[in-house]
Amino acid sequence: MDFFSKMKDAEYNQFIEDIISKKPLTDDMIREMLSVSDRAGLKRMFDAAVQVKEHYFGKSVYLYSFVYFSTYCKNQCAFCYYNAKNKIDRYRITPEELRVLCGELKDEGVHMIDLTMGEDPHFHNTPENLLEFVRIAKEVTGLPVMVSPGVVDNDFIKELRKEGADFFALYQETYQKELYAKLRAGQSFEGRIDARNNAKAAGICIEDGILTGFSKMKLSNGELIQPSVSDDIESAIVSIRGMQKADPDQVRVMTFEPQPGTPLAETAQASDLMELKVISVLRFVFPDRLIPASLDVAGIPGMTDRLNAGANAVTSIISAGSELEGVVNFDRDVSLNERERDAKSVIKKLKEMGLERGSQESFESYLNRNKS
Ligand code: SAM
Ligand code: MD0
Ligand code: SF4
């Protein structure tokens, strides 16, 4: 509970030094950190994470533009709004629409374009359709491109690499197999890990991620997903260890947000506190890696908390007025011209926080260093 508050100043400074020199944490240490609940202890934990981040990245923050280009999906993830069974309006943009959009994005100040989709058969069954999107995004913006296509086979991954895809995002959500089976019902646990490893082997940077905030969540059949907060902590430990195996270039955690129309719709929303603590622990376990603050979970106010807990990238940036969606859309009920999740608003806030937009050059050299 008092992992940080009980430390003398010298011990606290030594802890930070140890982390910077990549001394590993034990499971017990992580468990204690995730149990911290006193104000002073939390402040010390977040401050330590910021010091570690600044050692490796200074005040630089990287910005990713989010292009959710198809919301069609064949899967039925229990947590996701775009799950195939949900009766919602869906869209798939055309190559021409992507071209126009990328033309608008290229001078906004983002470092990378994240092309994300549901597992839409239009792209899954015809890889060329996705390759064309990567080609357009790279050609029009001249920026690195992340793809978030879901699970694709190794040949497809090699094609993505040839086309110049820089980053492959695929979140395991959890490394607890039983929990995975409830969340990503009917989807292979190993197959998801393999796809990520294949991307790494092909020389593409990879991102992994986990969800938190499932304690007391009920499935529609009444089954409890994780009965208590301590389950959430144990789950995070297993998942952090799972993510370490593939040496990811970027790691994330997001708070589960109940979505209308899904099996987990009727459950109470967890606070963001566990996510913030996991962000700090991720910074301690992956000191020199990119860790995003997603605007999708809690917008710009939430971004501030996440950067102050150790994150150093801002994701899910969407141009002002754009009709595209996020994956959770904390601002789903807000009119398009009122949602403040554009690059300009982000950069303004960074300045107020004493942070800055990192240079494109430093971002690309990080990517090149990490591509095998
Ligand atoms: N369809 C692809 C896939 O699933 O890999 C690409 C989309 S992926 C980027 C969507 C991610 O958003 C999920 O992996 C999950 O981590 C996150 N997500 C989806 N629904 C969520 C929710 N209700 N609350 C929090 N995170 C969510
Ligand atoms: C985000 N909504 O960054 C996006 C998404 C996909 N690579 C990223 C989860 O929050
Ligand atoms: Fe489809 Fe991805 Fe949502 Fe799962 S998380 S339902 S695969 S869009």
Side-chain angles (χ1 to χ4, degrees), residues 4 12 39-53 272-281 283-284 305-310:
F4 286 97
Y12 178 67
R39 200 179 268 265
L42 286 170
K43 179 163 174 14
R44 266 187 147 189
M45 170 148 101
F46 297 150
D47 287 351
V50 167
Q51 284 192 47
V52 174
K53 164 177 77 169
D272 288 358
L273 182 60
M274 185 58 78
E275 177 182 337
L276 298 177
K277 292 195 265 186
V278 175
I279 287 177
S280 292
V281 170
R283 178 54 68 202
F284 300 147
D305 296 338
R306 285 156 182 76
L307 294 172
N308 285 335

Side-chain angles (χ1 to χ4, degrees), residues 174-191:
T174 174
Y175 279 79
Q176 283 183 316
K177 284 193 179 178
E178 322 76 66
L179 178 57
Y180 180 95
K182 289 176 194 161
L183 298 181
R184 285 195 165 267
Q187 299 170 47
S188 162
F189 180 84
E190 302 298 340

